[in-house]
Amino acid sequence: MHFQRAMTFIEENTEKVLDSETFIDLSDVAMAAILRSDLLQLDELDLLNSLRRWATTNSITNGVPIEKVF
């Protein structure tokens, strides 16, 4: 139930969520759930740029190649 409420919020406020400072702290499981949604309110190029920022940060933080994060 909480998951669906969170996803609804993300879908309705996609740009704000992806631009937030805490977006890069999301787990890979949470990111996968977000990317499965067909209801995100964001241009695909902007989504890709946000995903790249998330992957780059997680790559550096976890000391793994970016290919392992993507």
Side-chain angles (χ1 to χ4, degrees):
M1 181 151 155
H2 293 290
F3 172 78
Q4 187 54 47
R5 288 174 55 188
M7 281 304 301
T8 299
F9 178 84
I10 292 168
E11 291 164 348
E12 293 174 353
N13 300 281
T14 309
E15 188 172 356
K16 289 179 184 178
V17 171
L18 272 57
D19 284 342
S20 71
E21 290 182 25
T22 57
F23 169 72
I24 58 173
D25 297 328
L26 290 175
S27 70
D28 55 345
V29 173
M31 181 58 68
I34 291 170
L35 293 175
R36 280 192 294 272
S37 174
D38 292 329
L39 302 175
L40 298 177
Q41 302 297 312
L42 191 67
D43 180 71
E44 288 179 3
L45 183 57
D46 292 334
L47 179 60
L48 181 60
N49 287 332
S50 294
L51 180 59
R52 185 178 299 128
R53 181 172 56 94
W54 173 85
T56 301
T57 301
N58 280 274
S59 171
I60 293 167
T61 301
N62 296 320
V64 297
I66 196 165
E67 295 83 16
K68 296 273 185 184
V69 177
F70 261 137

